Amino acid sequence: MFSKAHVLLILLCSSLSVSSYANSKKPLAWQIKNKTWTKSYEKSYEEFIASIGKAKQAGVCHTTSDCIKSPVANPQFYNLNPDSLMDVFSDCADLPYILRAYFSWMNDLPFTYPVELTQAPLKTAEADALMKQLDDLYIQLDKAGMIKKQVIKRQIKELRKKIYGGSGVDIRYNSGGNKIVSKLYIKNGDNVNKVLVDVANAISTATFRTDAANNTTTKLFRDTYPVAITKAAIKPGTVLYDPNGHIAVVFDVTKNGKVHLIDAHPDNSLTAITYGEKFSQTNVEIGGGFSNWRPFNVETGEVQAATNEELPDYSLEQFERKKPFEFNNVQMSFHEYVRNKLSQGALIYYPVTELNELMEEICHDVKEREMAVNASLAAGIQNQNHPDVLPSNIYGTDGDWESYSSPSRDARLKASIREGRQLMQKIIQGHKDGDKNVQYEGTDLEGELQRTYEASASKCTIDVKKTSGGVQTLTLNTILKNIFKLSFDPYHCVELRWGLTDAESLKSCNQSKEKIEWYNAEQGLRNLIDRDYSVKMDYSLRELPSMPLSKTPEENISIVDVLN
């Protein structure tokens, strides 16, 4: 993390060097002068991402644009930013492509991104034959005249119906993955402002939901490839895809194997998080997990992408689905396996340090949630009438619900708390059993952990500006005790968003009886930790209580009762 002295030093150096760059701002028109993504460019990209991430972690910037336009977060290119560089919107899926596009533009490199995907066909002999016909039609389409193109497009449409069917499945969450239909390649003269907007409009999490084993090297190559779980492979710039609909970018891997990431959200905020069980392991067909950018070049005027065999860190290791994984003959979860593999030397747990870091991360997540809730309140969503039905799935939708609700954010927070509890249980039991990987030199581990928790929880606070006026300060301990009461629903008042359901808070909330009924009916959804995008959720208020959801909060999620 940046120290204050480090931040001041960067600002000073930046201010001293502004004059030397004053007449050399980067033109908005893209120029592809360097036609190959070399190892030196990849190393520079790592440094760019590491700086952005550490600045975000230190609170220097709060959106992707903020970071790109910050001399602290972006010392490599800040002085080259033209005054006319627009602010860019970025949600989680856009983030890797936006950062890669910006870096490519700054370094006069080629850049490409998918603009059309479709649900991958079933892997049958009949589907294979139809796919060959479809590929042939796309080749003909490129060469056809205007009238012929219309005929071929109709043929393509009919053929795709036969291959993919008309299920209407949201391709962001389908079970079979997707296929890239077309990609766009940046040309000399393209305006970077337009490119960044077009990228944000084109990319979704569906873009990453493609077969990780794909070895296509033609124009339709997969932009990223899966990597081995090694310190050399997982580095700043590595993309992490959670098949439950979230993307993050690695910016640091610590000596004790913790993976730090940045991720973006529909409200345009940027957050700093760590890898853990909130990210799911997947099968290879939907391509989740850690991946790096596939290098390519346009030296000959044709696209030439590296094959899987040419990539030293290419691996399908993370798709082996071992249950459990093993490291040094010790069985563990996949997330523990990743941390052990990435640790420099044996992974040593220092209990108080682990708890302090855990509480800092949870506090950070709560502070980020506060910003998201405040953005929703500022937009006045809580004053609007509640929709008659919920979205088809609360975790993946669009519109105001996508921009201002927080079910996915809240689920990740609860998953982090559950994972933290499990880690503390493991450490405490390991200390009792004399585990050499748990190092504690004191005489009262549980007592010291309890005091550490109380100190951390009391100093982490948020101020809730109540609907009727006045401010109520909540400590982290209060928030964690109410974790299953926190409303994800943007149509609820601030009191309900923070789980304040006492008589005084409900009086301050002053919302309609119907909205209170919605809050009560959504308790089953609040009790969930693990997100499921396949569950139908578009129920009315009357139907919602009968949904087959968790009726009681998951037991043993609390961190503090492990320490008692």
Side-chain angles (χ1 to χ4, degrees), residues 111-137:
F111 177 72
T112 179
Y113 62 97
V115 291
E116 186 179 1
L117 298 104
T118 191
Q119 187 174 343
L122 296 175
K123 294 185 176 179
T124 64
E126 181 184 3
D128 288 344
L130 291 173
M131 279 303 301
K132 186 177 185 308
Q133 293 180 40
L134 187 60
D135 289 341
D136 290 342
L137 284 173

mmCIF file of all heavy atoms in Angstrom, residues 111-137:
data_model
loop_
_atom_site.group_PDB
_atom_site.id
_atom_site.type_symbol
_atom_site.label_atom_id
_atom_site.label_comp_id
_atom_site.label_asym_id
_atom_site.label_seq_id
_atom_site.Cartn_x
_atom_site.Cartn_y
_atom_site.Cartn_z
ATOM 1 N N PHE A 111 -5.033 -3.684 -30.759
ATOM 2 C CA PHE A 111 -6.009 -4.058 -29.735
ATOM 3 C C PHE A 111 -7.245 -4.620 -30.410
ATOM 4 O O PHE A 111 -7.631 -4.173 -31.493
ATOM 5 C CB PHE A 111 -6.383 -2.836 -28.882
ATOM 6 C CG PHE A 111 -7.438 -3.121 -27.855
ATOM 7 C CD1 PHE A 111 -7.150 -3.879 -26.728
ATOM 8 C CD2 PHE A 111 -8.736 -2.648 -28.013
ATOM 9 C CE1 PHE A 111 -8.125 -4.152 -25.784
ATOM 10 C CE2 PHE A 111 -9.725 -2.911 -27.075
ATOM 11 C CZ PHE A 111 -9.405 -3.665 -25.954
ATOM 12 N N THR A 112 -7.863 -5.600 -29.765
ATOM 13 C CA THR A 112 -9.069 -6.233 -30.303
ATOM 14 C C THR A 112 -9.998 -6.621 -29.173
ATOM 15 O O THR A 112 -9.558 -6.812 -28.022
ATOM 16 C CB THR A 112 -8.704 -7.475 -31.126
ATOM 17 O OG1 THR A 112 -9.909 -8.079 -31.623
ATOM 18 C CG2 THR A 112 -7.946 -8.498 -30.308
ATOM 19 N N TYR A 113 -11.274 -6.742 -29.490
ATOM 20 C CA TYR A 113 -12.234 -7.200 -28.482
ATOM 21 C C TYR A 113 -13.447 -7.812 -29.180
ATOM 22 O O TYR A 113 -13.788 -7.425 -30.305
ATOM 23 C CB TYR A 113 -12.673 -6.055 -27.570
ATOM 24 C CG TYR A 113 -13.381 -4.912 -28.254
ATOM 25 C CD1 TYR A 113 -14.771 -4.826 -28.293
ATOM 26 C CD2 TYR A 113 -12.646 -3.889 -28.871
ATOM 27 C CE1 TYR A 113 -15.418 -3.775 -28.913
ATOM 28 C CE2 TYR A 113 -13.292 -2.831 -29.495
ATOM 29 C CZ TYR A 113 -14.675 -2.772 -29.512
ATOM 30 O OH TYR A 113 -15.318 -1.724 -30.136
ATOM 31 N N PRO A 114 -14.119 -8.784 -28.547
ATOM 32 C CA PRO A 114 -15.309 -9.399 -29.143
ATOM 33 C C PRO A 114 -16.477 -8.428 -29.170
ATOM 34 O O PRO A 114 -16.679 -7.663 -28.224
ATOM 35 C CB PRO A 114 -15.607 -10.575 -28.203
ATOM 36 C CG PRO A 114 -14.330 -10.822 -27.469
ATOM 37 C CD PRO A 114 -13.702 -9.467 -27.318
ATOM 38 N N VAL A 115 -17.229 -8.465 -30.241
ATOM 39 C CA VAL A 115 -18.414 -7.612 -30.346
ATOM 40 C C VAL A 115 -19.702 -8.423 -30.497
ATOM 41 O O VAL A 115 -20.791 -7.888 -30.371
ATOM 42 C CB VAL A 115 -18.297 -6.617 -31.521
ATOM 43 C CG1 VAL A 115 -17.220 -5.583 -31.231
ATOM 44 C CG2 VAL A 115 -18.015 -7.321 -32.831
ATOM 45 N N GLU A 116 -19.567 -9.715 -30.776
ATOM 46 C CA GLU A 116 -20.763 -10.559 -30.877
ATOM 47 C C GLU A 116 -20.425 -11.966 -30.402
ATOM 48 O O GLU A 116 -19.401 -12.535 -30.789
ATOM 49 C CB GLU A 116 -21.285 -10.611 -32.311
ATOM 50 C CG GLU A 116 -22.608 -11.355 -32.446
ATOM 51 C CD GLU A 116 -23.152 -11.388 -33.857
ATOM 52 O OE1 GLU A 116 -22.483 -10.835 -34.766
ATOM 53 O OE2 GLU A 116 -24.219 -11.991 -34.060
ATOM 54 N N LEU A 117 -21.279 -12.486 -29.527
ATOM 55 C CA LEU A 117 -21.143 -13.850 -29.044
ATOM 56 C C LEU A 117 -22.475 -14.556 -29.181
ATOM 57 O O LEU A 117 -23.523 -13.918 -29.302
ATOM 58 C CB LEU A 117 -20.717 -13.889 -27.573
ATOM 59 C CG LEU A 117 -19.378 -13.269 -27.220
ATOM 60 C CD1 LEU A 117 -19.613 -11.925 -26.557
ATOM 61 C CD2 LEU A 117 -18.565 -14.174 -26.310
ATOM 62 N N THR A 118 -22.408 -15.842 -29.138
ATOM 63 C CA THR A 118 -23.636 -16.621 -29.125
ATOM 64 C C THR A 118 -23.417 -17.838 -28.240
ATOM 65 O O THR A 118 -22.281 -18.215 -27.950
ATOM 66 C CB THR A 118 -24.045 -17.064 -30.547
ATOM 67 O OG1 THR A 118 -25.358 -17.599 -30.509
ATOM 68 C CG2 THR A 118 -23.078 -18.093 -31.097
ATOM 69 N N GLN A 119 -24.508 -18.420 -27.794
ATOM 70 C CA GLN A 119 -24.402 -19.582 -26.928
ATOM 71 C C GLN A 119 -23.707 -20.715 -27.673
ATOM 72 O O GLN A 119 -24.012 -21.002 -28.825
ATOM 73 C CB GLN A 119 -25.803 -20.018 -26.492
ATOM 74 C CG GLN A 119 -25.819 -21.109 -25.446
ATOM 75 C CD GLN A 119 -27.240 -21.384 -24.950
ATOM 76 O OE1 GLN A 119 -28.123 -20.561 -25.148
ATOM 77 N NE2 GLN A 119 -27.428 -22.518 -24.318
ATOM 78 N N ALA A 120 -22.732 -21.344 -27.019
ATOM 79 C CA ALA A 120 -21.998 -22.434 -27.656
ATOM 80 C C ALA A 120 -22.943 -23.595 -27.950
ATOM 81 O O ALA A 120 -23.829 -23.909 -27.149
ATOM 82 C CB ALA A 120 -20.861 -22.907 -26.760
ATOM 83 N N PRO A 121 -22.769 -24.243 -29.087
ATOM 84 C CA PRO A 121 -23.655 -25.359 -29.449
ATOM 85 C C PRO A 121 -23.347 -26.598 -28.635
ATOM 86 O O PRO A 121 -22.276 -26.722 -28.036
ATOM 87 C CB PRO A 121 -23.323 -25.594 -30.921
ATOM 88 C CG PRO A 121 -21.890 -25.181 -31.028
ATOM 89 C CD PRO A 121 -21.740 -24.000 -30.107
ATOM 90 N N LEU A 122 -24.298 -27.511 -28.632
ATOM 91 C CA LEU A 122 -24.049 -28.807 -28.004
ATOM 92 C C LEU A 122 -22.946 -29.536 -28.772
ATOM 93 O O LEU A 122 -22.834 -29.410 -29.995
ATOM 94 C CB LEU A 122 -25.326 -29.656 -28.007
ATOM 95 C CG LEU A 122 -26.502 -29.112 -27.190
ATOM 96 C CD1 LEU A 122 -27.714 -30.008 -27.393
ATOM 97 C CD2 LEU A 122 -26.135 -29.036 -25.719
ATOM 98 N N LYS A 123 -22.151 -30.293 -28.062
ATOM 99 C CA LYS A 123 -21.034 -30.982 -28.708
ATOM 100 C C LYS A 123 -21.493 -32.346 -29.216
ATOM 101 O O LYS A 123 -21.297 -33.376 -28.578
ATOM 102 C CB LYS A 123 -19.867 -31.107 -27.725
ATOM 103 C CG LYS A 123 -19.295 -29.750 -27.362
ATOM 104 C CD LYS A 123 -18.073 -29.863 -26.487
ATOM 105 C CE LYS A 123 -17.481 -28.484 -26.225
ATOM 106 N NZ LYS A 123 -16.286 -28.514 -25.350
ATOM 107 N N THR A 124 -22.154 -32.332 -30.375
ATOM 108 C CA THR A 124 -22.625 -33.561 -31.009
ATOM 109 C C THR A 124 -22.144 -33.573 -32.451
ATOM 110 O O THR A 124 -21.754 -32.547 -33.004
ATOM 111 C CB THR A 124 -24.165 -33.640 -30.985
ATOM 112 O OG1 THR A 124 -24.678 -32.561 -31.779
ATOM 113 C CG2 THR A 124 -24.705 -33.512 -29.563
ATOM 114 N N ALA A 125 -22.203 -34.742 -33.076
ATOM 115 C CA ALA A 125 -21.770 -34.862 -34.469
ATOM 116 C C ALA A 125 -22.625 -33.980 -35.372
ATOM 117 O O ALA A 125 -22.117 -33.313 -36.287
ATOM 118 C CB ALA A 125 -21.850 -36.317 -34.916
ATOM 119 N N GLU A 126 -23.936 -33.945 -35.129
ATOM 120 C CA GLU A 126 -24.828 -33.122 -35.940
ATOM 121 C C GLU A 126 -24.490 -31.636 -35.779
ATOM 122 O O GLU A 126 -24.429 -30.892 -36.760
ATOM 123 C CB GLU A 126 -26.284 -33.361 -35.533
ATOM 124 C CG GLU A 126 -27.268 -32.536 -36.364
ATOM 125 C CD GLU A 126 -28.709 -32.701 -35.892
ATOM 126 O OE1 GLU A 126 -28.925 -33.410 -34.889
ATOM 127 O OE2 GLU A 126 -29.595 -32.108 -36.528
ATOM 128 N N ALA A 127 -24.248 -31.233 -34.512
ATOM 129 C CA ALA A 127 -23.916 -29.830 -34.265
ATOM 130 C C ALA A 127 -22.595 -29.461 -34.929
ATOM 131 O O ALA A 127 -22.440 -28.366 -35.465
ATOM 132 C CB ALA A 127 -23.835 -29.568 -32.758
ATOM 133 N N ASP A 128 -21.637 -30.378 -34.928
ATOM 134 C CA ASP A 128 -20.341 -30.128 -35.567
ATOM 135 C C ASP A 128 -20.512 -29.873 -37.065
ATOM 136 O O ASP A 128 -19.890 -28.971 -37.645
ATOM 137 C CB ASP A 128 -19.389 -31.310 -35.345
ATOM 138 C CG ASP A 128 -18.891 -31.386 -33.911
ATOM 139 O OD1 ASP A 128 -19.025 -30.380 -33.192
ATOM 140 O OD2 ASP A 128 -18.364 -32.446 -33.521
ATOM 141 N N ALA A 129 -21.353 -30.691 -37.700
ATOM 142 C CA ALA A 129 -21.580 -30.527 -39.138
ATOM 143 C C ALA A 129 -22.260 -29.196 -39.439
ATOM 144 O O ALA A 129 -21.902 -28.498 -40.391
ATOM 145 C CB ALA A 129 -22.435 -31.692 -39.660
ATOM 146 N N LEU A 130 -23.247 -28.839 -38.601
ATOM 147 C CA LEU A 130 -23.940 -27.565 -38.795
ATOM 148 C C LEU A 130 -22.996 -26.390 -38.551
ATOM 149 O O LEU A 130 -23.071 -25.368 -39.241
ATOM 150 C CB LEU A 130 -25.146 -27.475 -37.859
ATOM 151 C CG LEU A 130 -26.311 -28.441 -38.174
ATOM 152 C CD1 LEU A 130 -27.366 -28.364 -37.074
ATOM 153 C CD2 LEU A 130 -26.928 -28.117 -39.527
ATOM 154 N N MET A 131 -22.098 -26.551 -37.598
ATOM 155 C CA MET A 131 -21.154 -25.485 -37.308
ATOM 156 C C MET A 131 -20.219 -25.249 -38.492
ATOM 157 O O MET A 131 -19.841 -24.110 -38.783
ATOM 158 C CB MET A 131 -20.335 -25.814 -36.053
ATOM 159 C CG MET A 131 -21.053 -25.520 -34.740
ATOM 160 S SD MET A 131 -21.603 -23.800 -34.566
ATOM 161 C CE MET A 131 -20.050 -22.926 -34.711
ATOM 162 N N LYS A 132 -19.850 -26.340 -39.169
ATOM 163 C CA LYS A 132 -18.998 -26.191 -40.343
ATOM 164 C C LYS A 132 -19.730 -25.389 -41.422
ATOM 165 O O LYS A 132 -19.158 -24.505 -42.067
ATOM 166 C CB LYS A 132 -18.595 -27.554 -40.896
ATOM 167 C CG LYS A 132 -17.579 -27.462 -42.041
ATOM 168 C CD LYS A 132 -17.149 -28.834 -42.513
ATOM 169 C CE LYS A 132 -16.057 -28.710 -43.572
ATOM 170 N NZ LYS A 132 -16.399 -27.814 -44.674
ATOM 171 N N GLN A 133 -21.021 -25.688 -41.608
ATOM 172 C CA GLN A 133 -21.825 -24.915 -42.562
ATOM 173 C C GLN A 133 -21.880 -23.443 -42.167
ATOM 174 O O GLN A 133 -21.773 -22.550 -43.014
ATOM 175 C CB GLN A 133 -23.251 -25.476 -42.624
ATOM 176 C CG GLN A 133 -23.371 -26.864 -43.219
ATOM 177 C CD GLN A 133 -24.823 -27.325 -43.232
ATOM 178 O OE1 GLN A 133 -25.732 -26.549 -43.514
ATOM 179 N NE2 GLN A 133 -25.046 -28.595 -42.916
ATOM 180 N N LEU A 134 -22.039 -23.203 -40.856
ATOM 181 C CA LEU A 134 -22.124 -21.830 -40.359
ATOM 182 C C LEU A 134 -20.809 -21.088 -40.606
ATOM 183 O O LEU A 134 -20.810 -19.928 -41.041
ATOM 184 C CB LEU A 134 -22.467 -21.826 -38.871
ATOM 185 C CG LEU A 134 -22.767 -20.463 -38.233
ATOM 186 C CD1 LEU A 134 -23.961 -19.797 -38.902
ATOM 187 C CD2 LEU A 134 -23.013 -20.613 -36.740
ATOM 188 N N ASP A 135 -19.698 -21.738 -40.324
ATOM 189 C CA ASP A 135 -18.385 -21.125 -40.566
ATOM 190 C C ASP A 135 -18.223 -20.764 -42.039
ATOM 191 O O ASP A 135 -17.701 -19.694 -42.387
ATOM 192 C CB ASP A 135 -17.263 -22.076 -40.121
ATOM 193 C CG ASP A 135 -17.176 -22.198 -38.608
ATOM 194 O OD1 ASP A 135 -17.708 -21.314 -37.912
ATOM 195 O OD2 ASP A 135 -16.575 -23.179 -38.124
ATOM 196 N N ASP A 136 -18.670 -21.660 -42.917
ATOM 197 C CA ASP A 136 -18.574 -21.400 -44.364
ATOM 198 C C ASP A 136 -19.413 -20.190 -44.765
ATOM 199 O O ASP A 136 -18.993 -19.377 -45.599
ATOM 200 C CB ASP A 136 -19.039 -22.634 -45.153
ATOM 201 C CG ASP A 136 -18.054 -23.805 -45.041
ATOM 202 O OD1 ASP A 136 -16.893 -23.548 -44.663
ATOM 203 O OD2 ASP A 136 -18.463 -24.942 -45.325
ATOM 204 N N LEU A 137 -20.592 -20.066 -44.158
ATOM 205 C CA LEU A 137 -21.452 -18.932 -44.473
ATOM 206 C C LEU A 137 -20.809 -17.611 -44.030
ATOM 207 O O LEU A 137 -20.909 -16.591 -44.720
ATOM 208 C CB LEU A 137 -22.822 -19.096 -43.802
ATOM 209 C CG LEU A 137 -23.770 -20.116 -44.465
ATOM 210 C CD1 LEU A 137 -25.015 -20.307 -43.603
ATOM 211 C CD2 LEU A 137 -24.162 -19.643 -45.868
#
